[in-house]
Amino acid sequence: MTFQPRMQNRIEGFSVVGGMNRRNWNGIVADVWDVECAPYAGGYYVANDPRLFILLDMRGPGDSRVKLTPKSAGAVQDTVRRPISYVPAGMELWADLVDVQFVRHLDIHFDAEIVGRRLMEDIDPSRLADARLLFHDERVMALANLIAAECVNPQPLHDLYGDGLALALIIDVLKLSRAPVRKRSKLASWQLRRAQDFIEQNCLRNIRLEELASLTGLSQSHFSHAFKASTGIAPHQWQTNARVDRAKHLLLQGEFTLPVIAAETGFSDQAHFTRVFRKVTGATPAFWKKANVA
């Protein structure tokens, strides 16, 4: 489903010029508004999703103030020192514009869940909740102007262009960095010993990962990763190695044919046995036997 920003407002004294210029990308909506203002204009705004407000142009002798409460004095907003505001979801804002004749602004709304999925990690909730009002940043302004130009472009470029710019702007404003790679934890010594003993005792049959995970009290995924972190190989490879060790023992006894050893060590036939044995040891069973029997 296409993301649609959810916003409530009560405004007065604004007249939109030429309609809204909107682009909708993957979880991000960008709007450019050209607005003529009455001698007094203002409004109340609150959105269900996080958003950025970027003042691109303002004309007239007066000023624009952004307020956290309707009766507060607020802080002046301008296009030079204080054009950018990041507004978290649910944050209420009021604006008063006195003797301002015209403004152009870029609004960027985004779905934090969708953006998080695209970044392949959840966005830190504290970053999303941390309002940044009325600041300036050259890099953000450069991106904002490119996005605004794309919004009003009658022949927009490929979606990936505007989408990439908008995503880069969000990453920059929220200062999102790549999360450190998690180091896989190892099994406790008792867990490793229990799993290895079980594999040794049951290596001639098919051992289900569920059985091993249950022995150690872990989920299958957690056990599989922890076993590999502990031994350097996956559980099924450990079982294969145990079967090959059994086969080596029988080969050294010199009493059994290769088809018998294959059957005794859980392989489907001699060809399967030979293929796996060579993969593990680098030699065929016959060659290995010749090299190791005195």
Side-chain angles (χ1 to χ4, degrees):
M1 180 180 295
T2 303
F3 167 62
Q4 293 294 337
R6 298 160 293 174
M7 188 164 184
Q8 302 171 45
N9 59 47
R10 295 190 298 273
I11 59 176
E12 62 176 291
F14 295 117
S15 300
V16 177
V17 180
M20 178 180 63
N21 297 287
R22 166 169 289 188
R23 294 296 306 274
N24 196 319
W25 298 297
N26 188 3
I28 304 170
V29 168
D31 298 327
V32 171
W33 300 84
D34 290 328
V35 182
E36 290 181 343
C37 310
Y40 170 79
Y44 158 81
Y45 308 86
V46 61
N48 292 352
D49 301 288
R51 62 190 178 95
L52 286 129
F53 178 94
I54 301 167
L55 185 63
L56 302 173
D57 190 13
M58 184 169 68
R59 303 169 200 166
D63 61 31
S64 169
R65 288 181 175 270
V66 175
K67 307 187 299 185
L68 298 179
T69 63
K71 294 185 178 179
S72 63
V76 174
Q77 175 180 241
D78 60 41
T79 59
V80 178
R81 294 181 303 163
R82 298 176 169 183
I84 309 167
S85 289
Y86 165 70
V87 186
M91 182 177 184
E92 297 178 311
L93 282 182
W94 285 259
D96 281 342
L97 285 74
V98 178
D99 291 333
V100 172
Q101 297 164 351
F102 171 84
V103 294
R104 164 175 272 200
H105 58 89
L106 169 68
D107 295 349
I108 296 179
H109 306 258
F110 63 95
D111 184 318
E113 186 176 338
I114 294 176
V115 171
R117 285 203 300 269
R118 296 181 62 191
L119 299 175
M120 301 182 69
E121 55 190 57
D122 292 336
I123 300 176
D124 183 346
S126 65
R127 296 285 177 88
L128 289 171
D130 186 16
R132 295 182 66 198
L133 302 180
L134 305 177
F135 66 97
H136 179 270
D137 184 291
E138 288 287 349
R139 192 163 53 191
V140 172
M141 287 306 297
L143 289 168
N145 280 303
L146 290 171
I147 295 167
E150 186 62 6
C151 288
V152 300
N153 185 354
Q155 296 181 311
L157 300 174
H158 194 286
D159 272 352
L160 288 178
Y161 174 72
D163 183 54
L165 291 172
L167 186 59
L169 187 148
I170 292 168
I171 290 171
D172 198 321
V173 169
L174 295 181
K175 304 302 177 194
L176 301 178
S177 57
R178 189 171 184 178
V181 176
R182 288 188 304 169
K183 190 175 181 179
R184 296 289 186 185
S185 60
K186 297 182 178 180
L187 293 172
S189 58
W190 69 267
Q191 291 173 314
L192 181 60
R193 185 171 59 254
R194 183 174 291 182
Q196 290 174 329
D197 288 349
F198 186 85
I199 293 173
E200 288 290 335
Q201 294 164 12
N202 299 275
C203 69
L204 302 185
R205 67 170 179 84
N206 182 35
I207 300 174
R208 290 177 292 116
L209 184 60
E210 179 183 358
E211 295 178 85
L212 297 171
S214 177
L215 282 173
T216 54
L218 302 174
S219 69
Q220 294 182 47
S221 174
H222 190 171
F223 169 78
S224 182
H225 288 300
F227 187 92
K228 189 168 184 177
S230 301
T231 65
I233 59 176
H236 74 275
Q237 185 60 51
W238 190 275
Q239 181 181 1
T240 299
N241 291 351
R243 286 182 178 180
V244 169
D245 287 343
R246 293 279 184 97
K248 288 178 179 176
H249 179 71
L250 295 176
L251 285 168
L252 291 175
Q253 290 183 17
E255 301 175 3
F256 307 100
T257 63
L258 294 182
V260 170
I261 293 175
E264 289 293 324
T265 51
F267 295 99
S268 57
D269 53 34
Q270 183 180 341
H272 182 212
F273 169 51
T274 300
R275 185 168 63 253
V276 173
F277 191 95
R278 181 162 51 192
K279 185 176 180 181
V280 172
T281 67
T284 64
F287 186 87
W288 186 90
K289 179 181 177 181
K290 185 177 179 180
N292 288 276
V293 173

